[in-house]
């Protein structure tokens, strides 16, 4: 494959955990990454072509239209998921690629394929740096250079093929046939079972040095570690340091790029917003329209319709019963969105941190796209709910009241969502956020004007912060303004105050959520 993307000064980092959206396909995942990360000079078609090139380069063409999957969603295999993560980084053609334990959780055959792929990337002229624990002998022999660390100290740095020769030269060699990587890890941890001892350590044991012995008469791990550090410092370190300290000449253009800290976005703000908006809809449409969620909403609607079947408002008692239905609607569509929105930012925190660290988009573009991409989805289920309840319960049968009821419920949903987003973004802990939301929603519900009409004056201010209260008043106005100016002790007025209060909550709670995300110090930049 021919690359036309300059690789100078570009670095990619693949985390140990696979941070991907489960409901996006392999092709969608890499296409969105290309559109956000590749330079602005490339057209949309060129970026999509680059994503397809990476898919074929990584051997993902067979599963390109398969969802990534996750804990509760069936998707691609673990090895394919890891290759998608690598594809997200090599899509920008980095000159340097870091990987944190890329074989973690994979079987030996899949791990070998991943390392072979990384070796192919390295042979193409890229520098690949990876941490790895307990590799097989086949994996070990694919590395060009090796850094062995023990307790944060350097025990070896050099060619992987010369590792065993070096340790034999300092008196450490395996007494039985074993995987070189296993032997090195044993040494790094001070475990010298089945390992020959250097004469210096043998002398310390024979001299009875208490600090150098363990109960079975062998050098302690601390002494082994000290010996390995000293051996490296005296035999290899100085030579390697001199070789590494030789300056590499840089041309003036490259020096300018190195000194420049100006962030280079791959897309303009409006392009970032558009890409993230549609990505959000594609990712969450499966959750919004799951059979479980649809069943939950429609079954609740049917139960309500049967309980309030063709209710009327001919006498005060019937009117009070129907007002109870309106209050339940206000509570249900206030409670439901809060506890859905709470999970938004805590669940996406890892993805947000990863993508922001890679300078994929501005926080403001992400936040606005994330909070608006839910709105088209949020309107569908409430409309279905009201189509069932409204006509079964025999509410005011007229076009204007029906649509005003839908708009009121929708305004309540968006305000309640804002509260959930603010709580989730502020605490970033699901247990604490759920607890706070439960107390808040319960308080708003109790102060909502149905259970208690005469709220003590020192506590009455709570109701004006309650979206349940304002929604309930608006629903009463829509249904009964032609019947009575006072319903259940609540005076029906123009409704302007309630609408203004809900709109203030819509924007106020979201602004608080945005400030909380900025406080996380992910990456600065509006």
């Amino acid at each position: 494959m021919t690359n036309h993307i300059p690789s100078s000064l570009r670095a990619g980092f693949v985390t140990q955990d696979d941070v991907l959206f489960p409901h996006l396909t392999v092709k969608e995942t890499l296409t969105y990454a290309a559109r956000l990360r590749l330079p602005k000079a490339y057209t949309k078609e060129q970026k999509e072509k680059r994503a397809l090139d990476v898919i074929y380069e990584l051997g993902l063409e067979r599963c390109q239209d398969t969802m990534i999957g996750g804990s509760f969603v069936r998707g691609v295999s673990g090895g394919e998921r890891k290759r998608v993560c690598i594809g997200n980084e090599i899509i920008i053609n980095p000159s340097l690629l870091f990987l944190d334990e890329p074989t973690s959780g994979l079987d030996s055959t899949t791990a070998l394929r991943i390392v072979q792929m990384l070796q192919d990337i390295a042979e193409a002229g890229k520098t690949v740096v990876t941490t790895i624990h307990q590799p097989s002998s086949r994996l070990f022999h694919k590395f060009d250079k090796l850094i062995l660390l023990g307790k944060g100290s350097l025990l070896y740095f050099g060619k992987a093929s010369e590792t065993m020769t070096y340790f034999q030269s300092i008196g450490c060699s395996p007494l039985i046939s074993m995987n070189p990587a296993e032997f090195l890890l044993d040494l790094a941890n001070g475990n010298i079972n089945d390992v020959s001892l250097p004469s210096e350590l043998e002398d310390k044991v024979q001299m009875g040095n208490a600090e150098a012995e363990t109960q079975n008469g062998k050098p302690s791990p601390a002494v082994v570690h000290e010996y390995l550090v000293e051996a490296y410092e005296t035999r290899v370190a100085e030579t390697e340091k001199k070789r590494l300290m030789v300056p590499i000449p840089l041309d003036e253009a490259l020096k300018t790029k190195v000194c420049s800290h100006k962030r280079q976005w791959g897309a303009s703000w409006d392009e970032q917003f558009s890409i993230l908006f549609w990505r959000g809809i594609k990712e969450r449409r499966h959750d919004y329209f799951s059979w479980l969620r649809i069943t939950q909403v429609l079954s609740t609607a049917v139960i309500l319709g049967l309980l309030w079947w063709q209710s009327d408002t001919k006498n005060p008692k019937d009117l009070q019963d129907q007002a109870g239905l309106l209050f339940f609607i206000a509570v249900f569509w206030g409670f439901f969105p809060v506890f859905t929105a709470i999970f938004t930012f805590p669940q996406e925190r890892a993805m947000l941190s990863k993508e922001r660290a890679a300078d994929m988009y501005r926080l403001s573009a992400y936040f606005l796209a994330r909070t608006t991409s839910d709105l088209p989805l949020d309107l569908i289920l409430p409309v279905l709910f009201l189509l069932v309840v409204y006509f079964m319960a025999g509410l005011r049968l007229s076009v204007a009241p029906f649509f005003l009821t839908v708009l009121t419920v929708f305004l309540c949903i968006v305000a309640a969502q804002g509260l959930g987003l603010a709580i989730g973004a502020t605490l970033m802990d699901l247990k604490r956020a759920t607890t706070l939301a439960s107390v808040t929603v319960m308080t708003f519900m109790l102060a909502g004007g149905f259970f208690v009409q005469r709220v003590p004056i020192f506590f009455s201010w709570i109701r004006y912060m309650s979206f349940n209260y304002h929604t309930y008043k608006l629903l009463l106005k829509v249904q009964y303004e032609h019947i009575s100016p006072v319903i259940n002790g609540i005076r029906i007025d123009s409704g302007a105050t309630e609408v203004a209060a809900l709109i203030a909550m819509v924007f106020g709670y979201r602004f608080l959520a945005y400030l909380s995300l900025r406080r996380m110090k992910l990456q600065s930049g509006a």
Side-chain angles (χ1 to χ4, degrees), residues 166-306:
Y166 164 74
F167 281 102
Q168 287 172 359
S169 71
I170 63 171
C172 298
S173 58
L175 296 174
I176 60 173
S177 298
M178 64 170 66
N179 176 1
E182 186 178 354
F183 165 71
L184 295 175
L185 287 174
D186 282 347
L187 272 183
N189 288 290
N191 178 11
I192 55 173
N193 293 326
D194 301 319
V195 176
S196 66
L197 296 174
S199 56
E200 291 92 331
L201 294 182
E202 293 281 6
D203 293 342
K204 287 184 179 181
V205 173
Q206 292 174 2
M207 292 172 63
N209 187 335
E211 294 182 358
E213 294 185 49
T214 60
Q215 291 181 352
N216 58 7
K218 291 184 178 181
S220 67
V223 171
V224 173
H225 174 76
E226 182 183 350
Y227 172 76
L228 294 175
V229 172
E230 289 178 356
Y232 178 78
E233 287 291 336
T234 55
R235 300 184 184 218
V236 182
E238 203 60 38
T239 304
E240 288 292 337
K241 285 179 182 177
K242 287 180 180 179
R243 187 177 62 82
L244 291 173
M245 291 301 289
V246 175
I248 299 174
L250 296 177
D251 58 38
E252 289 303 317
L254 197 57
K255 285 180 182 179
T256 303
K257 290 181 180 179
V258 170
C259 296
S260 175
H261 297 287
K262 186 178 180 180
R263 182 171 296 167
Q264 298 295 323
W265 302 108
S268 62
W269 190 96
D270 56 325
E271 289 174 331
Q272 291 174 10
F273 170 79
S274 176
I275 293 167
L276 294 171
F277 179 86
W278 290 110
R279 186 180 76 171
I281 287 181
K282 284 188 176 182
E283 167 59 23
R284 290 184 293 282
R285 63 185 175 183
H286 301 277
D287 287 335
Y288 271 86
F289 302 120
S290 66
W291 283 110
L292 187 64
R293 191 162 187 165
I294 293 173
T295 302
Q296 178 188 17
V297 171
L298 291 183
S299 60
T300 302
V302 170
I303 292 171
L304 292 176
L306 293 174

Side-chain angles (χ1 to χ4, degrees), residues 262-399:
K262 186 178 180 180
R263 182 171 296 167
Q264 298 295 323
W265 302 108
S268 62
W269 190 96
D270 56 325
E271 289 174 331
Q272 291 174 10
F273 170 79
S274 176
I275 293 167
L276 294 171
F277 179 86
W278 290 110
R279 186 180 76 171
I281 287 181
K282 284 188 176 182
E283 167 59 23
R284 290 184 293 282
R285 63 185 175 183
H286 301 277
D287 287 335
Y288 271 86
F289 302 120
S290 66
W291 283 110
L292 187 64
R293 191 162 187 165
I294 293 173
T295 302
Q296 178 188 17
V297 171
L298 291 183
S299 60
T300 302
V302 170
I303 292 171
L304 292 176
L306 293 174
L307 286 172
W308 275 273
W309 177 260
Q310 295 301 311
S311 58
D312 57 46
T313 56
K314 293 178 181 178
N315 58 68
K317 190 176 185 310
D318 293 335
L319 184 64
Q320 186 175 4
D321 284 346
Q322 200 176 84
L325 170 62
L326 298 180
F327 184 73
F328 181 85
I329 292 173
V331 169
F332 183 76
W333 289 110
F335 180 91
F336 200 59
V338 168
F339 287 92
T340 302
I342 274 177
F343 293 86
T344 299
F345 296 122
Q347 284 185 335
E348 290 191 8
R349 182 174 187 171
M351 179 65 76
L352 181 59
S353 299
K354 170 192 164 187
E355 293 184 337
R356 290 278 293 146
D359 287 343
M360 289 179 67
Y361 45 72
R362 293 174 172 85
L363 181 61
S364 55
Y366 163 80
F367 182 83
L368 193 60
R370 184 63 183 84
T371 54
T372 56
S373 61
D374 289 337
L375 299 183
L377 302 172
D378 283 329
L379 186 58
I380 296 174
L381 285 181
V383 169
L384 293 176
F385 174 89
L386 289 173
L387 281 172
V388 175
V389 171
Y390 201 92
F391 298 104
M392 286 183 69
L395 295 175
R396 191 177 173 189
L397 295 177
S398 182
V399 175

Side-chain angles (χ1 to χ4, degrees), residues 446-463:
L446 293 175
F450 182 77
F451 297 111
V452 182
Q453 276 80 47
R454 295 183 179 179
V455 179
I457 191 168
F458 59 85
F459 206 66
S460 60
W461 57 272
I462 289 291
R463 66 165 48 183

Side-chain angles (χ1 to χ4, degrees), residues 52-252:
L52 286 175
D53 289 343
V54 170
I55 286 173
Y56 282 94
E57 182 179 346
L58 299 180
L60 294 169
E61 60 272 13
R62 290 185 179 180
C63 62
Q64 62 179 313
D65 295 318
T66 305
M67 283 196 300
I68 297 295
S71 302
F72 305 104
V73 183
R74 187 176 180 182
V76 298
S77 67
E80 289 167 337
R81 190 178 295 114
K82 182 61 70 176
R83 277 184 277 167
V84 174
C85 291
I86 295 172
N88 268 335
E89 300 304 317
I90 68 170
I91 207 159
I92 60 172
N93 193 28
S95 55
L96 182 60
L97 180 64
F98 293 96
L99 302 100
D100 184 15
E101 297 192 45
T103 61
S104 178
L106 303 179
D107 61 80
S108 58
T109 303
T110 305
L112 181 62
R113 288 175 182 169
I114 293 292
V115 173
Q116 179 63 59
M117 182 191 68
L118 295 176
Q119 188 180 44
D120 293 340
I121 293 173
E123 289 175 351
K126 308 295 184 291
T127 301
V128 180
V129 180
T130 176
T131 60
I132 194 164
H133 292 170
Q134 203 74 27
S136 67
S137 56
R138 290 189 299 174
L139 260 63
F140 179 81
H141 290 298
K142 290 191 176 294
F143 292 105
D144 297 315
K145 289 191 176 182
L146 175 71
I147 296 176
L148 180 65
L149 298 174
K151 298 179 182 178
S153 300
L154 192 59
L155 306 182
Y156 177 78
F157 171 65
K159 292 182 179 179
S161 58
E162 298 176 358
T163 309
M164 299 302 290
T165 303
Y166 164 74
F167 281 102
Q168 287 172 359
S169 71
I170 63 171
C172 298
S173 58
L175 296 174
I176 60 173
S177 298
M178 64 170 66
N179 176 1
E182 186 178 354
F183 165 71
L184 295 175
L185 287 174
D186 282 347
L187 272 183
N189 288 290
N191 178 11
I192 55 173
N193 293 326
D194 301 319
V195 176
S196 66
L197 296 174
S199 56
E200 291 92 331
L201 294 182
E202 293 281 6
D203 293 342
K204 287 184 179 181
V205 173
Q206 292 174 2
M207 292 172 63
N209 187 335
E211 294 182 358
E213 294 185 49
T214 60
Q215 291 181 352
N216 58 7
K218 291 184 178 181
S220 67
V223 171
V224 173
H225 174 76
E226 182 183 350
Y227 172 76
L228 294 175
V229 172
E230 289 178 356
Y232 178 78
E233 287 291 336
T234 55
R235 300 184 184 218
V236 182
E238 203 60 38
T239 304
E240 288 292 337
K241 285 179 182 177
K242 287 180 180 179
R243 187 177 62 82
L244 291 173
M245 291 301 289
V246 175
I248 299 174
L250 296 177
D251 58 38
E252 289 303 317

